[in-house]
Amino acid sequence: MFPIPDSSSAITTTSFTQAKILWRSGKLGDAFKKYKQSIELNPNFAWSYYYLGKILAAQNKW
């Protein structure tokens, strides 16, 4: 059986998806905040860290 996702997983996914849309729209500041929110909700979700790093690299803030 597959584990049933809890509500925090759904919220993390929603936050991550919103961040990705903002990032692709060029709204890096807003995307940064959403990725940070995604990390706060689920610190084990590695993709949030990856895209957060991509934003920092794009802004030469690494």
Side-chain angles (χ1 to χ4, degrees):
M1 301 240 44
F2 295 103
I4 298 170
D6 60 12
S7 62
S8 65
S9 294
I11 294 169
T12 301
T13 302
T14 301
S15 182
F16 177 78
T17 302
Q18 290 172 346
K20 205 166 176 185
I21 291 168
L22 290 166
W23 179 65
R24 288 181 176 169
S25 300
K27 298 178 181 176
L28 300 182
D30 293 331
F32 184 87
K33 291 175 189 173
K34 279 291 182 182
Y35 284 124
K36 292 283 280 183
Q37 180 184 33
S38 178
I39 290 168
E40 289 174 11
L41 293 169
N42 184 355
N44 297 319
F45 190 64
W47 285 108
S48 296
Y49 293 98
Y50 172 78
Y51 283 105
L52 193 65
K54 287 185 70 78
I55 289 173
L56 292 171
Q59 296 176 331
N60 291 321
K61 294 182 179 178
W62 49 277

